[in-house]
């Protein structure tokens, strides 16, 4: 084997090793970090895994939001009008969080099938609502003057 | 009546620009096919005319904004008579249609600059302009057919506009898109040079020399644009983060990563005549990812909090455009790239190989980010359900990749082209290596925090390693005959770029490991302690702004001894025209740490949920970015790029041409 | 072999392109109503301004019209009112359906905001008629119905100026020209 060939073999070998390590790590990282979405019905039926990060979403059930008076801990239920799931959270809820609104929570299910959320995102579908929600919002003094458009956050950034 | 017809004139100017772009695209192509050199020359005046017409069109749109002409749909949707004039101007590129016009104007500007560049052979210039013309034609068609900013509301004209999105009413964001677009579009020039080279079959190293300054300038703008965007997100979104791995951010990162690889591989190709076909591919790929990002963001295929409104027609048009541009150029590449056998030899221990490693790592990083970004789309298309890929995926892969890259960043500048002895390399790096290991790995983490963790130790070591090797390199350069004055600007540029990267590493390491983010319930008068500071909510209030109402708070920060350090006045605003809540953060900033207070939600009359963040060294991330951007511009002003006649280029390039 | 390698980037891009194309049609925002292409349900409802007068499906047919579900309680309805007025001014008949509201409040709303509606139907709480059959549970909501009484377009949420120009007006024209 000429030195030149030997060198080429080295480079090729190193590259191959690098590529396979990278591909392996990538697949591993992907498989352990994708968050599947589950509806409350699926969660109640036991289709969602425990102790693994998932996303759950639905409408916040009216009157279900319970706050701890001394901290930010909050507990509320979301429903897909078929089943409901309790969500526990201890950070600041998003600006658009309201009863009767759609939200998506990221977190893990505990043994009681309650979601311990690490993140709660409000869906920005706020300009369509049933009268009960409008009433509740008005009573709470939180009725926005109209549509919410925060989905356009940085629309000009590309 | 003059006001009334301005938008029509703008629309007309846009159509004339399309005509000019078509001339610029088609004449050189026809000329080179029929061997009529004169036709190649038509590209130049056509490019100038296109620039002028786009400029007119842009100015007319801007004047519609300034004159509050709400009969123009785009103005009505993105402006309001109460908006200050400078935001009326920046609202021109505040949404889809106008930002496209800006994109086109910048492309025409770059094209104009290329058409003026001296020292380019006429046939290369003609062909490069032709490629740029085709890109412009495609985008102009897209604008005119699907996204015309001059569309009108007739006959019923709104009395006032829907206002500019409050998030965009900010000086940081006024400049962010132009900078970013300058970067994206700038890579079109390198792309055009690469295709012109493939087209003419003249694959000598000359095209690499022409491409280098253009690539660096585009890279500088893109870097500054990304840094500005990150800074804006930090203080304007109120979450305290500086990078979210959001699809829109990733879309800007893809061309940045490939552009970085391209800058380095162009250096190898120019100096050593190596990796020619690889560099050509990178040049095509860099601009392609710019376009891909454009598509991902504007077609609505990805779920992002930042995405534009969905419109399937636009998406299909863009995909077609994307397919034609990227597909054709990759096809030309595959057909025209000769089977180049590298003639120059290089040993394993050489700058050539270190730069190759840099390229491989950056390309792998690009693929990692791309995969994570489009994985939800892939899974959805394969009926595998709706998923999202979280930041942990990106962090788990991207961080180690950058760590490896950092090692080569230190080795590159200190190594020789072609080959070098291990003993020589060792002599150059041992001090830097020892210093960074000793200080960064062992000592500094203890000094700063009194404890040690692997992440911090690795980060600080890397920071010191990149910084000390850069300094060592510039010190070595200063020992030449002319001393410090003899150091070329491109060498300063390289050092600055690497130092900038080192500062980013430092900032990221510190803020990710020592940063503290606390969401707390704050009641008036009850102190809360975060990171050794004591925060007290003094009062809550309300105020009426010009176009918003706000909850206000006064928060005092005191040291352990009770000394008042800072009074924060954050706000939670509700913008009335759009009914949109906004968080106005209050920051006590400094080189060593930021303290960041933002209002979350009202809990009761006397309590508010607050975010209190302690962010050590966070500013270094953006400073590093701006330093790197500035350094890239500095490198471009090097005198060897200003020398018009290639024959008088520095000896280095001359010898490599013989070798290559 | 080497030649093949050169085609690899192109092949990868084509595969990516296929996925992107599929992604376009997977657009999460394109939630088609189950009613599209189906006839507007039969109904009998009183007019808002005169409880004595009953309106049925057949009374509305004959030209392309918009059916807008609204209520004085609905905040977004105030927002979109200007756009409805613009649509009405453009000569498009807009039929209102006052949903889960009270007559007095609805009158006040129309007095204060203006009345762009050609005709208003009244479906208060407890009545299960047109809105119920359309699957409405909130407001605002808008349907485009063609001459034959077929639902051609559906929107749950706010009518925006962009939607008027880019979607609703073209749709109206399209169905006006269809027969």
């Amino acid at each position: 084997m000429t030195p030149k060939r030997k060198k080429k073999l080295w480079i090729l070998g190193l590259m191959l090793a690098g590529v396979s390590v990278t591909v392996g790590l990538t697949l591993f990282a992907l498989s352990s970090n994708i968050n599947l979405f589950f509806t409350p019905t699926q969660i109640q039926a036991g289709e969602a895994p425990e102790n693994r990060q998932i996303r759950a979403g639905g409408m916040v059930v009216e009157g279900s939001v319970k706050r701890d008076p001394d901290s930010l801990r909050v507990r509320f239920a979301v429903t897909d009008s078929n089943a409901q799931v309790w969500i526990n959270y201890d950070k600041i809820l998003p600006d658009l969080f309201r009863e009767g609104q759609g939200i998506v929570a990221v977190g893990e299910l505990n043994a009681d099938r309650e979601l311990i959320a690490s993140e709660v995102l409000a869906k920005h579908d706020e300009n369509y609502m049933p009268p009960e929600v409008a009433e509740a919002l008005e009573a709470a003094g939180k009725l926005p003057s109209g549509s919410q458009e925060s989905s356009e956050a940085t629309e000009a950034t590309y | 009546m003059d006001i009334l017809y301005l938008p029509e004139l703008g629309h007309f100017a846009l159509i004339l620009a399309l005509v000019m772009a078509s001339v610029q695209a088609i004449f050189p192509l026809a000329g080179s096919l029929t061997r009529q050199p004169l036709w190649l020359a038509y590209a130049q005046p056509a490019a100038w005319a296109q620039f002028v017409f786009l400029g007119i069109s842009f100015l007319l749109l801007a004047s519609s904004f300034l004159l509050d002409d709400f009969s123009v749909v785009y103005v009505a949707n993105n402006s309001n008579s109460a908006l200050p004039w400078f935001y009326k101007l920046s609202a021109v590129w505040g949404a889809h249609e106008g930002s496209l016009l800006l994109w086109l104007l910048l492309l025409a500007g770059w094209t104009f600059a290329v058409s003026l560049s001296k020292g380019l052979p006429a046939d290369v210039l003609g062909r490069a302009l032709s490629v740029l013309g085709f890109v412009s034609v495609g985008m102009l068609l897209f604008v005119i057919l699907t996204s015309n900013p001059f569309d009108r509301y007739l006959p019923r004209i709104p009395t006032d506009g829907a206002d500019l999105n409050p998030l965009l009413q900010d000086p940081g964001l006024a400049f962010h898109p132009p900078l970013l677009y300058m970067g994206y579009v700038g890579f079109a020039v390198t792309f055009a040079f690469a295709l012109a080279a493939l087209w003419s079959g003249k694959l000598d190293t000359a095209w690499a020399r022409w491409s280098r300054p253009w690539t660096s300038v585009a890279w500088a703008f893109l870097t500054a644009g990304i840094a500005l965007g990150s800074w804006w997100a930090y203080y304007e979104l109120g979450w305290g983060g500086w990078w979210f791995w959001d699809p829109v951010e990733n879309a800007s990162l893809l061309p940045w990563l490939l552009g970085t690889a391209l800058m380095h591989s162009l250096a190898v190709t120019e100096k050593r005549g190596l990796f020619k076909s690889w560099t050509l591919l990178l040049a095509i790929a860099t601009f392609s990812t710019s376009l891909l990002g454009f598509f991902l963001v504007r077609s609505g295929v990805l779920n992002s909090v930042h995405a534009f409104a969905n419109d399937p027609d636009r998406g299909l048009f863009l995909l077609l455009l994307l397919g034609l541009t990227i597909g054709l150029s990759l096809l030309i590449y595959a057909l025209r790239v000769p089977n180049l056998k590298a003639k120059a030899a290089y040993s394993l221990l050489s700058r050539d190989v270190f730069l190759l490693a840099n390229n491989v790592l950056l390309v792998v990083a690009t693929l990692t980010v791309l995969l994570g970004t489009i994985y939800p789309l892939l899974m959805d298309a394969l009926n595998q359900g709706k998923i999202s890929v979280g930041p942990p995926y990106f962090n788990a892969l991207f961080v180690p990749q950058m760590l490896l890259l950092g090692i080569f960043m230190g080795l590159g500048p200190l190594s020789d082209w072609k080959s070098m002895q291990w003993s020589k390399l060792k002599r150059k790096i041992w001090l830097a290596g020892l210093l960074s290991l000793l200080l960064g790995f062992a000592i500094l983490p203890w000094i700063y925090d009194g404890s040690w963790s692997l992440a911090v130790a690795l980060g600080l070591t890397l920071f010191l390693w990149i910084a000390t090797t850069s300094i060592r390199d510039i010190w070595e350069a200063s020992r030449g005959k002319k001393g410090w004055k003899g150091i070329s600007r491109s060498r300063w540029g390289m050092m600055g770029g690497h130092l900038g990267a080192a500062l980013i590493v430092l900032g990221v390491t510190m803020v990710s490991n020592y940063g503290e983010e606390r969401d707390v319930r704050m009641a008036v008068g009850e102190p809360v302690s975060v990171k050794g500071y004591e925060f007290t909510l003094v009062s809550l209030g309300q105020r009426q702004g010009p176009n918003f109402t706000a909850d206000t708070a006064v928060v005092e920060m005191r040291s352990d001894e009770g000394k008042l350090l800072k009074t924060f006045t954050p706000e939670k605003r509700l913008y009335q025209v759009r009914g949109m809540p906004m968080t106005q953060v209050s920051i006590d900033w400094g080189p060593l740490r930021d303290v960041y207070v933002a209002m979350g939600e009202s809990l009761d009359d006397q309590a508010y949920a607050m975010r209190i963040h302690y962010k050590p060294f966070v500013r270094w991330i953006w400073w590093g970015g701006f330093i790197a951007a500035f350094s890239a511009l500095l490198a471009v002003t090097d005198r060897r790029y200003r020398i018009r006649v290639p024959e008088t280029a520095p000896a280095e390039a001359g010898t490599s041409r013989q070798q290559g | 072999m080497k030649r093949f390698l050169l085609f690899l980037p192109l092949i990868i891009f084509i595969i990516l392109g296929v996925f992107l194309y599929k992604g376009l049609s997977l657009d999460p925002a394109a939630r088609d109503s189950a009613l599209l292409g189906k006839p507007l349900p039969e109904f009998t409802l009183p007019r808002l301004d005169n409880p004595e007068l009953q309106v049925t499906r057949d009374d509305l047919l004959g030209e392309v019209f918009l059916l807008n579900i609204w209520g004085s309680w609905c905040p977004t309805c105030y927002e979109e009112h200007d756009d409805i007025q613009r649509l009405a001014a453009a000569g498009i008949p807009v039929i209102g359906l006052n949903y889960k509201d009270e007559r007095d409040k609805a009158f006040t709303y129309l007095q204060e905001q203006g009345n762009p509606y050609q005709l208003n139907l009244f479906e208060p709480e407890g009545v299960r008629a047109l809105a119920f059959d359309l699957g409405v549970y909130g407001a605002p909501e808008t349907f485009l119905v063609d001459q034959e009484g077929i639902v051609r377009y559906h929107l749950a949420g706010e009518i925006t100026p962009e939607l008027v120009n880019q979607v609703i007006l073209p749709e109206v024209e399209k169905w006006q020209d269809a027969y």
Side-chain angles (χ1 to χ4, degrees):
Chain A
M1 203 185 280
T2 64
K4 206 173 166 186
R5 284 206 153 177
K6 204 168 162 187
K7 188 180 71 187
K8 269 211 163 148
L9 211 66
W10 258 103
I11 295 180
L12 218 73
L14 278 176
M15 272 180 151
L16 216 67
V19 165
S20 36
V21 168
T22 317
V23 169
L25 280 175
T26 308
L27 291 179
F28 176 73
L30 261 184
S31 66
S32 52
N33 285 307
I34 56 173
N35 309 325
L36 273 162
F37 183 86
F38 293 94
T39 61
T41 308
Q42 286 173 310
I43 292 172
Q44 216 165 55
E47 288 174 35
E50 276 171 33
N51 300 323
R52 190 187 184 305
Q53 188 149 300
I54 62 162
R55 288 183 303 146
M59 189 96 132
V60 180
V61 177
E62 308 274 327
S64 72
V65 181
K66 305 265 187 301
R67 276 187 186 285
D68 180 89
D70 301 319
S71 72
L72 289 181
R73 243 174 306 163
V74 60
R75 198 175 131 77
F76 57 91
V78 296
T79 176
D80 56 0
S81 75
N82 184 20
Q84 70 176 40
V85 163
W86 282 97
I87 292 179
N88 297 282
Y89 191 56
D90 64 353
K91 292 188 202 141
I92 293 174
L93 290 166
D95 287 337
L96 304 176
F97 181 93
R98 267 171 218 121
E99 291 186 354
Q101 286 303 313
I103 61 110
V104 175
V106 185
E108 294 182 5
L109 287 177
N110 65 10
D112 303 329
R113 302 219 161 274
E114 293 192 355
L115 193 80
I116 311 299
S118 55
E119 198 179 2
V120 172
L121 305 163
K123 280 205 259 176
H124 309 295
D125 193 14
E126 290 235 328
N127 46 31
Y128 178 78
M129 59 178 82
E132 300 80 24
V133 175
E135 236 165 74
L137 291 185
E138 198 167 23
K142 283 192 170 177
L143 197 59
S145 65
S147 60
Q148 303 287 346
E149 300 194 26
S150 26
S151 61
E152 296 170 358
T154 58
E155 61 181 10
T157 56
Y158 199 91
Chain B
M1 67 151 266
D2 347 328
I3 300 175
L4 262 167
Y5 294 107
L6 288 182
E8 275 64 41
L9 286 179
H11 190 180
F12 186 53
L14 213 53
I15 293 168
L16 286 179
L18 174 65
V19 174
M20 289 304 136
S22 311
V23 171
Q24 179 195 329
I26 293 165
F27 271 68
L29 178 66
S32 78
L33 289 178
T34 57
R35 297 181 193 286
Q36 302 195 49
L38 187 62
W39 287 26
L40 280 164
Y42 282 127
Q44 216 166 351
W48 298 346
Q50 196 211 154
F51 184 42
V52 170
F53 286 128
L54 276 170
I56 291 172
S57 182
F58 190 84
L59 286 178
L60 287 173
L61 184 61
S63 58
S64 287
F65 267 93
L66 289 177
L67 296 168
D68 289 329
D69 186 352
F70 298 119
S71 70
V72 179
V73 177
Y74 183 71
V75 179
N77 288 343
N78 295 289
S79 184
N80 185 284
S81 51
L83 201 64
W85 68 269
F86 40 91
Y87 289 137
K88 280 182 186 165
L89 268 187
S90 73
V92 174
W93 55 81
H96 174 74
E97 289 87 349
S99 64
L100 269 174
L101 190 58
L102 176 69
W103 196 97
L104 276 166
L105 178 69
L106 294 176
L107 178 64
W110 277 98
T111 310
F112 177 68
V114 170
S115 77
L116 292 182
S117 68
K118 306 248 168 64
L120 274 178
D123 65 321
V124 174
L125 179 64
R127 283 166 212 231
L129 289 179
S130 167
V131 174
L132 287 167
F134 275 110
V135 174
S136 193
V137 166
M139 221 35 116
L140 272 164
L141 279 175
F142 179 61
V143 172
I144 294 171
L145 296 178
T146 75
S147 318
N148 188 350
F150 296 105
D151 273 349
R152 297 268 216 160
Y153 273 131
L154 292 171
R156 244 179 81 99
I157 298 169
T159 47
D160 210 336
D163 207 358
L164 178 64
N165 187 330
L167 279 171
L168 308 184
Q169 295 182 26
D170 174 89
L173 210 68
F175 294 108
H176 169 61
L179 284 175
L180 210 56
Y181 290 14
M182 275 297 276
Y184 294 139
V185 173
F187 288 127
V189 177
T190 325
F191 170 80
F193 279 137
L195 281 185
L198 283 168
W199 178 358
S200 66
K202 280 191 210 145
L203 289 163
D204 51 14
T205 54
W207 82 268
R209 193 172 55 251
W210 301 322
S211 301
R212 277 188 79 180
W214 299 99
T215 311
S216 299
V217 174
W219 186 89
F221 278 111
L222 187 57
T223 308
I226 294 174
L228 195 62
S230 158
W231 178 51
W232 169 82
Y234 170 78
Y235 73 78
E236 194 73 13
L237 294 183
W239 303 332
W242 47 273
W243 193 262
F244 299 97
W245 293 113
D246 181 89
V248 170
E249 291 172 327
N250 294 349
S252 69
L253 193 60
L254 294 173
W256 187 85
L257 288 167
L258 284 185
T260 312
L262 177 63
M263 275 203 309
H264 291 91
S265 123
L266 275 170
V268 185
T269 303
E270 191 209 351
K271 300 259 179 179
R272 298 271 297 132
L274 287 169
F275 313 153
K276 270 184 204 159
S277 46
W278 171 250
T279 309
L280 282 165
L281 182 61
L282 266 185
I284 293 171
T286 304
F287 183 59
S288 299
T289 49
S290 284
L291 287 179
L292 181 69
F294 195 87
F295 169 79
L296 291 179
V297 173
R298 290 177 194 253
S299 65
V301 293
L302 289 179
N303 251 327
S304 156
V305 283
H306 301 317
F308 284 81
N310 299 338
D311 184 336
D313 285 347
R314 283 182 190 167
L316 196 62
F317 197 120
L318 267 183
L319 186 62
L320 208 69
L321 212 61
L322 190 76
L324 278 176
T325 317
I326 304 179
L328 276 180
S329 51
L330 287 177
L331 185 68
I332 293 173
Y333 173 80
L335 294 174
R336 298 285 298 189
V337 139
N339 270 332
L340 293 166
K341 275 246 158 46
K343 286 174 205 128
Y346 54 92
S347 81
L348 266 184
L349 212 58
S350 64
R351 188 182 280 195
D352 316 25
V353 170
F354 292 147
L355 285 175
L356 182 65
N358 143 310
N359 267 236
V360 170
L361 282 166
L362 282 167
V363 169
V364 169
T366 310
L367 293 176
T368 308
V369 175
L370 179 65
L371 184 66
T373 310
I374 62 167
Y375 200 68
L377 178 75
L378 300 185
M379 287 298 105
D380 203 5
L382 296 171
N383 288 322
Q384 298 290 307
K386 305 251 179 223
I387 59 149
S388 74
V389 177
Y393 160 81
F394 293 102
N395 292 336
L397 291 174
F398 196 72
V399 171
Q401 285 161 8
M402 291 302 110
L403 218 75
L404 273 176
L405 185 68
I407 297 174
F408 289 106
M409 268 175 88
L411 291 173
L414 292 181
S415 55
D416 295 342
W417 291 109
K418 196 171 177 185
S419 84
M420 87 185 296
Q421 293 300 313
W422 169 235
S423 56
K424 188 177 173 196
L425 185 62
K426 207 161 59 180
R427 202 177 66 235
K428 286 186 171 187
I429 61 170
W430 73 267
L431 187 61
L434 193 71
L435 221 75
S436 30
L437 273 177
L438 209 67
L439 273 177
F441 204 76
I443 298 178
L444 281 182
W446 287 103
I447 292 182
Y448 184 80
D449 192 49
S451 67
W452 188 91
S453 77
L454 183 65
V456 177
L458 281 177
L460 290 180
T461 309
L462 197 67
F463 154 65
L464 283 173
W465 166 247
I466 301 171
T468 48
T469 46
S470 305
I471 292 164
R472 153 99 209 194
D473 173 55
I474 210 78
W475 172 74
E476 203 172 281
S478 75
R479 291 192 304 173
K481 269 178 243 152
K482 289 187 205 153
W484 290 97
K485 282 189 179 157
I487 304 175
S488 69
R489 289 195 190 172
S490 64
R491 195 126 179 205
W492 278 115
M494 177 172 75
M495 187 200 74
H498 284 196
L499 269 183
L503 295 182
I504 294 173
V505 171
L506 173 70
V508 172
T509 306
M510 298 301 281
V511 79
S512 328
N513 290 289
Y514 293 126
E516 196 155 308
E517 310 187 348
R518 288 272 299 277
D519 285 5
V520 291
R521 177 195 165 91
M522 287 187 98
V524 174
E526 289 173 24
V528 175
S529 166
V530 178
K531 209 74 181 178
Y533 296 108
E534 203 176 77
F535 296 86
T536 317
L537 179 60
V538 179
S539 64
L540 284 170
Q542 263 166 357
R543 91 182 169 95
Q544 181 74 44
N547 52 347
F548 60 85
T549 54
D551 285 353
T552 60
V554 177
V555 176
E556 286 180 352
M557 176 171 80
R558 290 173 192 278
S559 64
D560 286 343
E561 299 91 46
K563 190 176 156 237
L564 180 66
L565 295 174
K566 167 91 182 173
T567 306
F568 295 95
T569 52
E571 286 182 4
K572 188 89 195 176
R573 293 180 179 172
L574 184 71
Y575 279 81
Q576 279 144 349
V577 178
R578 290 190 173 223
M580 186 166 151
M582 281 267 301
T583 306
Q584 200 72 17
V585 304
S586 182
I587 301 174
D588 180 34
W589 72 275
L592 295 185
R593 59 111 189 85
D594 274 21
V595 177
Y596 181 109
V597 178
M599 293 174 86
E601 45 179 331
S602 175
L603 298 175
D604 57 53
D605 288 350
Q606 293 297 304
Y608 221 92
M610 298 268 196
R611 275 176 226 277
I612 298 179
H613 291 193
Y614 177 83
K615 301 260 171 205
F617 289 83
V618 65
R619 268 156 212 273
W620 296 86
I621 299 173
W622 307 306
W623 286 344
F626 290 123
I627 289 173
F630 175 76
S631 305
L633 289 180
L634 183 73
V636 174
T637 62
D638 197 308
R639 56 183 281 280
R640 69 203 187 88
Y641 293 122
R642 276 174 288 150
I643 291 165
R644 298 279 149 78
V645 193
E647 269 67 32
T648 55
E652 234 177 353
T655 49
S656 76
R657 233 178 298 140
Q658 287 153 17
Q659 285 156 349
Chain C
M1 183 58 200
K2 190 95 190 248
R3 268 289 124 172
F4 170 75
L5 275 181
L6 291 174
F7 280 94
L8 205 58
L10 182 62
I11 293 165
I12 294 173
F13 172 71
I14 290 172
I15 296 171
L16 180 67
V18 169
F19 274 109
L20 292 180
Y21 179 72
K22 282 189 107 176
L24 276 182
S25 52
L26 288 172
D27 194 347
R31 275 167 283 144
D32 276 351
S33 166
L35 287 158
L36 287 191
K38 301 235 172 74
L40 189 73
E42 294 284 348
F43 67 92
T44 309
L45 277 173
R47 287 177 65 123
L48 176 68
D49 53 1
N50 187 346
E52 307 299 316
L53 291 177
Q54 299 286 327
V55 182
T56 63
R57 177 177 184 268
D58 294 340
D59 297 335
L60 301 181
L61 302 193
E63 57 180 331
V64 174
F65 70 92
L66 288 167
L67 177 67
N68 178 248
I69 318 287
W70 65 277
S72 64
W73 49 266
C74 150
T76 311
C77 298
Y78 292 84
E79 291 285 307
E80 67 171 15
H81 207 76
D82 275 354
D83 298 294
I84 292 176
Q85 281 179 324
R86 191 170 318 127
L87 283 164
I92 299 160
V94 185
I95 309 295
L97 195 164
N98 183 248
Y99 176 66
K100 289 196 180 177
D101 206 355
E102 289 157 34
R103 274 211 161 83
D104 302 349
K105 288 186 183 168
F107 287 145
T108 318
Y109 177 94
L110 291 178
Q111 250 161 30
E112 283 172 3
Q113 307 290 318
N115 184 358
Y117 301 106
Q118 201 175 60
L119 160 73
N120 265 301
L121 307 169
F122 184 56
E123 183 170 332
E125 183 88 54
V127 175
R128 296 191 156 190
L130 180 58
F132 182 79
D133 289 335
L134 283 168
V136 169
Y137 66 93
E141 203 158 335
T142 305
F143 297 85
L144 175 68
V145 184
D146 73 6
Q147 289 98 326
E148 307 281 299
I150 312 291
V151 176
R152 293 303 187 182
Y153 170 76
H154 170 223
L155 170 76
E158 187 188 354
I159 298 177
T160 60
E162 294 100 314
L163 274 173
V164 169
N165 269 33
Q166 289 163 16
V167 183
I168 298 178
L169 286 178
E171 281 285 327
V172 169
E173 270 169 38
K174 181 168 135 199
W175 295 109
Q176 275 172 343
D177 298 343
Y179 291 94

